[in-house]
Amino acid sequence: MKIAEIKNIETKELVEKLEAAVDALNKKKINHNVTPLENPSEIKVARRDIARMKTELRQRELNK
């Protein structure tokens, strides 16, 4: 997910997407421990997307 896309999303929807992304990351990690993922870099990409979402939420919180 690009930064521009994240900035255009409403806060409530962004929180929901963040929760879904965290759940998906946890599932990927568990699945990777059981049977290796075909593309393990998906975990890195997911972590970075989550960090971008958290950063945007924090910026919005500070701007209020």
Side-chain angles (χ1 to χ4, degrees):
M1 186 174 280
K2 303 266 183 185
I3 295 172
E5 294 172 7
I6 293 172
K7 289 186 178 191
N8 292 331
I9 299 173
E10 293 181 23
T11 304
K12 194 173 196 180
E13 187 179 343
L14 185 58
V15 170
E16 292 172 1
K17 286 190 178 220
L18 176 61
E19 291 172 358
V22 169
D23 290 340
L25 175 63
N26 289 333
K27 288 179 184 177
K28 283 181 186 181
K29 284 182 178 180
I30 291 170
N31 287 339
H32 184 62
N33 286 334
V34 175
T35 57
L37 290 175
E38 194 172 305
N39 187 4
S41 66
E42 292 175 10
I43 294 173
K44 180 171 68 172
V45 171
R47 272 196 344 254
R48 289 181 179 177
D49 285 343
I50 290 169
R52 286 186 192 106
M53 287 185 236
K54 285 184 176 181
T55 301
E56 179 61 26
L57 284 173
R58 181 67 177 150
Q59 286 178 345
R60 291 180 187 186
E61 183 181 310
L62 293 175
N63 288 334
K64 283 188 177 180

